[in-house]
Amino acid sequence: MTATTTPVSRSITKSVLSREQSEGVGARVRRSIGRPELRNHDPFLMLDEFSVDKNGGFPDHPHRGFETVTYMIEGQFQHEDFAGHKGTIGPGDLQWMTAGRGIVHSEMPVKSQTRAHGLQLWINLPKEHKMCEPQYQELLDGQIPRATPQDGVVVKVIAGESHGVKSQVYTRTPTMYLDFKMDKNKTVTQIIPSTYTGFLYMLKGTTFIGDKEFEGKAHHTLTLSEDGATTVKIQTKDEDAHFVFIAGEPLKEPIVQHGPFVMNSSEEIYDTFVDYQNNKNGFERARNWRSTIA
């Protein structure tokens, strides 16, 4: 007879509270990745949990060199860019925007509602994709597949794979993005590629992660160990939990960020400012453009 062994789970190496701060116009965000204590988590640049009332928002602003992933939890958000792309996403909907060589856009809540609440993740692009053409992938809540590994555990597979269910989202930087809702007194194991870095961001409730049952509380970012283990054990005890599980292949490239521009060198950042100010190399349509929703 051979004894079966339970795979060793990755552990939590750091827990960082996301304190609320102002951003944009009249918007409040809890910054996860991107705080001084957790500046980057390669390939991830930033994760914000945002709450915006009808008078706030993120008016016209540019991006280059990375992707923004907006996932709505409550309310509706409008989006408009300088190429004429315009739309609205509501609860559970997803917009995966590849800024590539250049986008100027506006993100504003629908004025008829009380507030818009969601997550925005910034994913770095590898050097060969930083100047690609902009692209959108948009999915309504009902188009995002779910995995149900057991009763009381539902996983929305926004990107990557969970329990045999795969997302249709194409990721230039290999990424998994999972939304977990777990009832109390449940245990689930999530597979993660051995080379991926990752983290959990707690939206609600409490979880216990890894073999040592590290306690994760609401509004905390919990970074996973980088030890090559391919499983993460997650438990709930006396309360339900809602969190996102985000992981990806680190790029291991230089990161030079200046506000909404993320490149590999200071020279490329300088060139980006020149391009933006002179409406060229991807910013041609920015000349005299103003959004109608801001």
Side-chain angles (χ1 to χ4, degrees):
M1 291 177 63
T2 57
T4 57
T5 57
T6 303
V8 174
S9 170
R10 289 205 195 187
S11 57
I12 299 301
T13 57
K14 183 184 283 191
S15 174
V16 179
L17 174 63
S18 298
R19 292 183 176 86
E20 204 170 53
Q21 65 188 61
S22 295
E23 193 75 17
V25 175
R28 304 293 293 172
V29 304
R30 289 182 180 271
R31 183 149 295 166
S32 160
I33 308 297
R35 297 186 60 75
E37 311 97 301
L38 201 54
R39 179 60 65 197
N40 300 126
H41 197 53
D42 188 16
F44 307 108
L45 302 163
M46 191 190 82
L47 177 68
D48 278 353
E49 179 185 1
F50 61 84
S51 181
V52 187
D53 68 23
K54 63 183 179 181
N55 298 313
F58 305 96
D60 305 4
H61 59 279
H63 293 294
R64 174 183 276 181
F66 61 101
E67 300 183 300
T68 70
V69 182
T70 305
Y71 178 53
M72 295 302 298
I73 297 169
E74 176 188 352
Q76 294 181 304
F77 231 51
Q78 296 174 289
H79 169 271
E80 182 184 6
D81 76 11
F82 68 177
H85 185 94
K86 189 175 182 180
T88 302
I89 56 174
D93 296 348
L94 171 76
Q95 183 197 72
W96 196 292
M97 184 185 84
T98 304
R101 65 201 303 254
I103 279 281
V104 179
H105 72 160
S106 179
E107 301 159 290
M108 305 294 287
V110 172
K111 299 300 183 187
S112 60
Q113 65 189 8
T114 53
R115 75 165 186 156
H117 177 213
L119 298 171
Q120 187 169 95
L121 175 71
W122 289 13
I123 307 173
N124 203 6
L125 283 169
K127 187 175 181 65
E128 68 264 27
H129 292 312
K130 281 192 176 293
M131 295 294 283
C132 69
E133 288 298 319
Q135 183 190 358
Y136 292 92
Q137 299 176 83
E138 293 172 319
L139 294 174
L140 299 176
D141 180 46
Q143 297 173 311
I144 300 172
R146 270 80 164 168
T148 310
Q150 57 182 277
D151 287 345
V153 179
V154 178
V155 187
K156 280 182 71 176
V157 186
I158 296 165
E161 182 176 355
S162 181
H163 295 271
V165 177
K166 293 183 179 181
S167 165
Q168 60 184 289
V169 169
Y170 170 63
T171 59
R172 286 169 175 79
T173 300
T175 303
M176 56 195 300
Y177 189 152
L178 311 172
D179 175 355
F180 277 80
K181 288 184 178 176
M182 296 177 64
D183 290 349
K184 60 184 179 182
N185 299 314
K186 298 293 178 181
T187 301
V188 69
T189 298
Q190 175 60 46
I191 301 294
I192 178 173
S194 62
T195 55
Y196 277 23
T197 57
F199 66 97
L200 281 69
Y201 180 71
M202 297 295 305
L203 289 160
K204 177 186 171 187
T206 304
T207 56
F208 299 85
I209 301 149
D211 299 321
K212 295 181 180 178
E213 298 189 8
F214 188 99
E215 188 173 359
K217 292 182 174 293
H219 307 302
H220 282 73
T221 303
L222 310 164
T223 59
L224 297 171
S225 57
E226 297 174 24
D227 50 19
T230 57
T231 63
V232 181
K233 186 172 78 171
I234 306 163
Q235 301 177 68
T236 53
K237 294 187 178 179
D238 55 0
E239 61 180 328
D240 300 350
H242 183 197
F243 59 92
V244 289
F245 181 116
I246 297 172
E249 187 72 55
L251 300 178
K252 299 178 180 177
E253 294 178 356
I255 298 171
V256 181
Q257 180 173 352
H258 197 292
F261 305 134
V262 183
M263 303 300 286
N264 296 115
S265 69
S266 298
E267 291 78 14
E268 290 171 342
I269 291 290
Y270 175 81
D271 291 344
T272 298
F273 272 100
V274 171
D275 290 346
Y276 180 55
Q277 289 163 359
N278 292 284
N279 308 117
K280 63 180 185 178
N281 292 330
F283 291 111
E284 289 83 355
R285 289 173 289 199
R287 189 186 303 275
N288 300 323
W289 180 79
R290 297 291 181 272
S291 70
T292 60
I293 62 173

